[in-house]
Amino acid sequence: MLKKFIILALIIAAGTGLQAQDNVYPAGPQKGTIIIKNGNIYTANGNVINNGVIVIKDGKIAEVGSAIQEEAGATLIDAKGKNVYPGLILPNTDLGISEIGSGVRGSNDYFELGEYNPSVRSVVAYNTDSKIINTLRANGILLACVVPQGRLVTGTSSIVQLDAWTWQDAIYKADNGLHINIPLLMRSPRRSLRGADASDPVKTGIQTVEEIESFFLQAQAYLKQAKKEDHNLKFEALRPLFEKKQKLFVHADIARQILVAVDFAKKFNIDVVLVGGSDSYLFADLLKQNNIAVILNSMHSLPTMQDDDIDQPYKTPGILQKAGVLFAINDNSDNARYRNLDFNAGTAAGFGLTREQALAAITINPARILGIDQQTGSIEKGKDANIIICEGDVLDMRTSIVTDAFIQGRKINLDNKQQQLYERYKHRYSIN
């Protein structure tokens, strides 16, 4: 009897699982030649080609220009009246490792115990079946840098392309950077004084920073040893960083934290990227002098400090651009679940950036910061064919509709669960 119940339970579970799966499958390898013609091509390197042509072969951009001879037997895509852009890049996210936030623990695998976890690799936990992924593709986001969360040294991030069967298939660039969190170094500006911790947060924070520096110094000393008595996995994980094969992504917002990030770059002679950077506008020249790039979080939010201008998050990209700081725009908002990336950039275009600069902040700039600019980020001959075709302006929430998308030349399916539900209930209520 027990055996019959087990078999029945397995059948029910299997049936439920099949019904729950979207009928959206990763695209197969590109076959033949694809030609996109008659579209307005925004290359993301400052050039716009009206009524341009893109030739795609073997997953690469073979030609791009205004007058290219068509090939017999090629698949033609007419983009007349539409705009063509490089695929958008989400530069800092927990996509695929956090599905339902804090609501369902079983859907999340992004936070490790302990304070020093440099050997943690986010990509091995990346879930290619996440329902969020397809909603991002429908908004033109084709690549994402998946970052582990944690306390101090959180682990290494990897860049994934968003059309894959497994995490191995998804890897675009593995282990591109190590991530650390800098303590706040001040009492939270929005924290109520009632019931506040009596300890000095600045003193505690400085002590923690010193401990992080000590950890890095110990790792340096360990790696310089010709003969090692013990194999230390945590110290070994820092080797690519000190050999400049990785960058150090320092998560910091306020002024004191940013100064710590600059100090890390100088003290350890490593490539540093600032993530968050709410107060980065105060140190634009210093960041430029030290060649420190910035990934700005969602600007559709309140300022970090209570005495900041209410529109400071909107103005910061323009200030960094004017100072010559390499920066990218991110969307880390919980409510939007990252899909407003392009509209964040569109907001910045109204506060000091040109539309070309705003587009660069979500395409070629994050590609440069993440170390994949030789492969993607702009529409140029020889790069991967990561391309989107859009009705309207991709930076404009009102008009942007992505009609076609290609990842490494593969035309991907833009359907998603939300779109399916939309169509389902249109049918239910006979809405045309």
Side-chain angles (χ1 to χ4, degrees):
M1 181 62 71
L2 179 59
K3 184 177 180 181
K4 291 182 179 179
F5 276 119
I6 292 174
I7 293 173
L8 179 61
L10 290 172
I11 292 172
I12 293 172
T16 304
L18 289 172
Q19 292 174 358
Q21 293 297 313
D22 294 337
N23 57 344
V24 179
Y25 312 116
Q30 181 200 347
K31 295 180 180 179
T33 300
I34 298 173
I35 297 178
I36 302 171
K37 64 178 186 177
N38 299 329
N40 300 315
I41 303 172
Y42 291 80
T43 62
N45 56 17
N47 297 324
V48 180
I49 306 172
N50 294 319
N51 297 316
V53 180
I54 302 173
V55 179
I56 303 172
K57 293 182 179 180
D58 300 321
K60 301 284 186 179
I61 298 172
E63 298 289 343
V64 56
S66 55
I68 297 173
Q69 186 174 359
E70 295 182 6
E71 296 183 17
T75 300
L76 299 179
I77 297 177
D78 190 355
K80 185 175 182 179
K82 298 180 181 181
N83 297 319
V84 184
Y85 304 94
L88 310 185
I89 302 172
L90 189 64
N92 183 77
T93 180
D94 60 5
L95 175 69
I97 55 177
S98 176
E99 188 74 1
I100 316 179
S102 60
V104 181
R105 291 178 59 188
S107 72
N108 302 316
D109 187 11
Y110 61 90
F111 193 103
E112 295 295 331
L113 297 176
E115 296 183 334
Y116 299 93
N117 296 302
S119 57
V120 166
R121 303 177 67 221
S122 63
V123 72
V124 298
Y126 177 69
N127 176 22
T128 56
D129 292 326
S130 167
K131 296 296 185 293
I132 302 171
I133 292 172
N134 291 352
T135 66
L136 301 192
R137 301 189 326 185
N139 275 34
I141 301 169
L142 305 185
L143 299 173
C145 183
V146 181
V147 179
Q149 311 299 307
R151 291 187 174 86
L152 298 179
V153 181
T154 64
T156 59
S157 58
S158 292
I159 298 117
V160 295
Q161 53 88 4
L162 306 188
D163 186 62
W165 287 104
T166 67
W167 66 264
Q168 292 95 333
D169 299 335
I171 291 177
Y172 201 80
K173 182 176 182 179
D175 306 319
N176 68 301
L178 181 70
H179 291 252
I180 68 171
N181 296 319
I182 300 298
L184 189 58
L185 298 174
M186 65 173 290
R187 196 174 298 280
S188 175
R190 293 191 173 88
R191 182 177 179 180
S192 171
L193 293 177
R194 182 181 299 176
D197 191 345
S199 63
D200 184 348
V202 177
K203 182 178 180 180
T204 303
I206 291 174
Q207 182 179 347
T208 302
V209 169
E210 290 174 348
E211 291 172 356
I212 298 173
E213 289 183 353
S214 176
F215 177 78
F216 275 65
L217 288 170
Q218 291 176 54
Q220 273 189 330
Y222 167 86
L223 294 171
K224 289 179 181 177
Q225 294 176 5
K227 184 178 181 180
K228 302 176 179 61
E229 295 182 1
D230 297 313
H231 189 73
N232 191 310
L233 290 176
K234 293 187 176 183
F235 290 162
E236 286 288 350
L238 268 64
R239 185 184 296 277
L241 180 68
F242 292 128
E243 293 178 351
K244 293 203 170 185
K245 296 178 181 178
Q246 287 181 343
K247 294 182 180 180
L248 181 67
F249 291 77
V250 181
H251 295 248
D253 277 301
I254 67 170
R256 294 172 181 174
Q257 293 175 308
I258 292 173
L259 291 175
V260 169
V262 174
D263 187 57
F264 260 86
K266 292 179 177 179
K267 182 173 294 186
F268 295 102
N269 188 30
I270 53 180
D271 296 325
V272 167
V273 176
L274 195 63
V275 182
S278 297
D279 281 350
S280 59
Y281 70 97
L282 297 172
F283 303 97
D285 292 336
L286 180 64
L287 296 173
K288 174 61 177 177
Q289 291 168 12
N290 289 277
N291 197 32
I292 295 177
V294 182
I295 296 175
L296 295 169
N297 282 333
S298 174
M299 55 201 61
H300 294 163
S301 59
L302 291 173
T304 300
M305 307 302 291
Q306 292 180 337
D307 55 353
D308 284 344
D309 292 346
I310 190 65
D311 58 354
Q312 187 57 59
Y314 307 152
K315 297 188 296 185
T316 297
I319 295 172
L320 296 180
Q321 178 73 37
K322 187 176 180 180
V325 176
L326 176 61
F327 73 94
I329 291 174
N330 192 42
D331 182 13
N332 64 324
S333 58
D334 290 334
N335 294 331
R337 295 314 296 270
Y338 333 115
R339 63 181 177 269
N340 284 342
L341 174 67
D342 39 352
F343 309 137
N344 275 275
T347 299
F351 288 81
L353 294 185
T354 65
R355 301 197 79 77
E356 289 76 16
Q357 291 167 346
L359 177 64
I362 53 176
T363 53
I364 189 61
N365 284 8
R368 289 171 179 149
I369 292 171
L370 299 174
I372 54 175
D373 54 303
Q374 297 301 311
Q375 301 165 260
T376 190
S378 59
I379 299 178
E380 297 180 71
K381 183 177 179 179
K383 289 193 173 183
D384 287 350
N386 300 328
I387 296 169
I388 59 174
I389 303 175
C390 184
E391 292 181 359
D393 184 350
V394 75
L395 303 179
D396 179 21
M397 184 180 290
R398 184 177 60 86
T399 63
S400 175
I401 300 176
V402 176
T403 60
D404 303 88
F406 301 83
I407 295 179
Q408 296 173 312
R410 298 175 293 117
K411 192 173 189 300
I412 65 172
N413 190 336
L414 294 179
D415 200 6
N416 57 75
K417 189 67 174 180
Q418 284 69 26
Q419 183 65 30
Q420 290 174 356
L421 290 172
Y422 173 71
E423 296 297 335
R424 174 186 176 88
Y425 285 98
K426 277 179 61 178
H427 175 76
R428 168 68 177 83
Y429 295 104
S430 301
I431 299 173
N432 295 323

